[in-house]
Amino acid sequence: HALQDLVRLVGQAMKITGIKYWQVDLPLREGRYSWSNGNFVEVFDSTVVAVETDAGITGYAECCPLGSAYLPAYALGVRSGLAELGPKMIGLDPRDLGTLNRHMDAVLRGHPYVKAPIDIACWDILGKATNMPVYKLLGGAAQDKIALYRAISQESPQAMAAKIAGYKKEGYTKFQLKVGGNADIDIVRIRETRAILDASDILVADANTGWTRAEAARIAAAVADVDVYIEQPCMTYEECLSVRRRTVRPFVLDEVIGDIGGLMKALADDAMDIINLKISKVGGLTKARLMRDICVASGTPMTIEDTWGGDIVTATIAHLARSTPEEFCFSATDFNSYGTVAIAAGAPQRVNGFMTASDAPGLGITPHLEVLGQPAGVIQ
């Protein structure tokens, strides 16, 4: 009978009947997360989204910008955008993800981070409707466990080295060092943290656009003998490309790769060795999957992650990463281990520096509605 119900459900029409969204605060275990140019966040403002259907299936997603000084995105913008876009999604079939994404792009120009949670929630619906985990729908299990990196908030070189030593004991072998501050101190940060790592460990110096081209050129030259990746040194693509052409260090691009066009240009220019593929930055899983497949086809590894988030964002990352071949999955992020608030059951949990995606249908998570409280918005 269960199989008959599934066959009937897959074959019948389905429509979006409502969208709800909640605001939730995500405090940090370490108290503060700091990156380039004095930016920091102490409590992240996240938005959880539910897409409801006339089939009785509800899909969930989460979007959490990294403050307002990281990308053209901010927390209140997610909810304002949902209030604008949500009514225009009523009546669409959530399983028709290509049609749905083209419709979102037609009725709201730009704002990919607003569209991302709707797209992701519809992937959750598709998984539940077909009784399959999302990673199966994204291409299948290309790896069973996903190697994680740990972001090291910007502090003194000694404090950052001490934190890396602590996280190594928890099983991490990949570390993203938040630099992009004073050039002299950043050189010391890179050298002191690399010195405590094993030869097989990976260190990424992520400036988050915080260096001028002159600073980036100087720092890259100063650490030319250090086993370190240089990530997103400057604000613009052109500045980063200039620095890329001056250094032998492997190079990572993040903030300046926001869509398929930007990715294709960067590949043509040989602008990087690795990209950071942030799911909400590019508009959701549908577009992230396409960019992922282009990277795999071109031989370009990725860090698969998002701007920030809790349990639901972590689950989404895990499904895309698990369906990505290991040699092209440079690393991923378990954001739910950074915070103090659990917002969903069934989310991936870190084990010795690795995580995996659930085998349950959809994203495999169940939101803690008692934690979310009353919705911030209801669209029907």
Side-chain angles (χ1 to χ4, degrees):
H1 292 298
L3 180 59
Q4 290 174 349
D5 290 342
L6 177 60
V7 171
R8 185 169 61 253
L9 181 60
V10 171
Q12 71 184 17
M14 186 185 297
K15 293 182 179 180
I16 296 173
T17 57
I19 296 173
K20 294 179 181 175
Y21 50 93
W22 294 261
Q23 187 277 330
V24 60
D25 289 335
L26 301 177
L28 287 162
R29 294 185 187 278
E30 292 187 354
R32 174 176 288 193
Y33 181 77
S34 303
W35 66 100
S36 64
N37 293 326
N39 291 303
F40 67 89
V41 174
E42 294 176 336
V43 178
F44 282 89
D45 183 344
S46 192
T47 302
V48 174
V49 177
V51 174
E52 301 172 331
T53 70
D54 60 358
I57 299 176
T58 299
Y60 294 96
E62 179 188 4
C63 183
C64 184
L66 181 57
S68 58
Y70 174 65
L71 290 172
Y74 65 107
L76 186 58
V78 179
R79 297 185 287 275
S80 298
L82 289 169
E84 173 68 23
L85 179 60
K88 299 168 184 176
M89 308 307 296
I90 303 299
L92 294 182
D93 190 325
R95 301 166 302 178
D96 293 341
L97 286 155
T99 300
L100 181 134
N101 273 271
R102 288 190 293 273
H103 180 74
M104 287 196 290
D105 288 342
V107 300
L108 180 66
R109 299 292 177 93
H111 304 283
Y113 69 107
V114 173
K115 300 166 185 175
I118 294 178
D119 172 78
I120 294 164
C122 290
W123 276 95
D124 190 29
I125 290 169
L126 179 61
K128 291 172 179 176
T130 58
N131 201 36
M132 297 176 69
V134 166
Y135 75 80
K136 287 280 190 184
L137 301 172
L138 292 171
Q143 54 178 328
D144 290 328
K145 61 179 185 177
I146 304 145
L148 301 167
Y149 81 81
R150 191 73 185 188
I152 307 300
S153 178
Q154 189 177 114
E155 297 182 66
S156 71
Q158 297 76 23
M160 297 176 84
K163 284 189 175 177
I164 286 179
Y167 285 122
K168 270 183 65 64
K169 294 178 182 178
E170 296 183 16
Y172 288 101
T173 60
K174 303 182 180 188
F175 302 93
Q176 186 192 72
L177 198 68
K178 291 301 179 182
V179 288
N182 176 275
D184 294 327
I185 298 174
D186 280 343
I187 292 169
V188 178
R189 286 181 173 119
I190 293 168
R191 288 193 169 276
E192 291 204 5
T193 53
R194 182 70 251 186
I196 69 165
L197 292 173
D198 296 330
S200 58
D201 293 335
I202 288 174
L203 181 67
V204 179
D206 183 9
N208 286 122
T209 75
W211 293 327
T212 65
R213 180 164 51 182
E215 289 173 328
R218 178 188 168 213
I219 293 166
V223 300
D225 62 322
V226 179
D227 182 9
V228 63
Y229 291 74
I230 303 296
E231 180 174 338
Q232 193 63 47
C234 305
M235 181 66 71
T236 68
Y237 174 79
E238 290 75 17
E239 290 171 312
C240 290
L241 184 59
S242 174
V243 176
R244 155 75 161 172
R245 290 170 174 168
R246 304 181 196 199
T247 181
V248 296
R249 294 295 93 215
F251 214 76
V252 185
L253 286 182
D254 182 352
E255 286 91 326
V256 295
I257 305 293
D259 56 25
I260 294 164
L263 173 61
M264 297 303 291
K265 178 173 175 54
L267 290 171
D269 291 341
D270 189 28
M272 73 283 171
D273 301 291
I274 294 167
I275 72 161
N276 277 11
L277 182 55
K278 288 183 165 67
I279 297 169
S280 69
K281 179 177 69 175
V282 304
L285 280 171
T286 300
K287 291 176 180 175
R289 179 184 63 169
L290 177 55
M291 293 177 71
R292 184 274 307 272
D293 291 346
I294 291 171
C295 285
V296 170
S298 67
T300 304
M302 297 151 278
T303 289
I304 294 176
E305 58 170 355
D306 214 316
T307 48
W308 204 269
D311 291 307
I312 306 175
V313 161
T314 302
T316 307
I317 293 167
H319 281 278
L320 184 59
R322 191 173 179 188
S323 63
T324 301
E326 181 180 355
E327 61 268 38
F328 297 111
C329 189
F330 182 65
S331 63
T333 319
D334 60 325
F335 282 124
N336 57 352
S337 75
Y338 290 74
T340 63
V341 174
I343 61 172
Q349 302 297 317
R350 182 185 75 246
V351 178
N352 294 325
F354 292 86
M355 71 175 178
T356 193
S358 171
D359 290 317
L363 293 176
I365 56 90
T366 303
H368 294 313
L369 297 178
E370 71 281 6
V371 174
L372 300 181
Q374 292 298 313
V378 177
I379 300 163
Q380 291 180 324

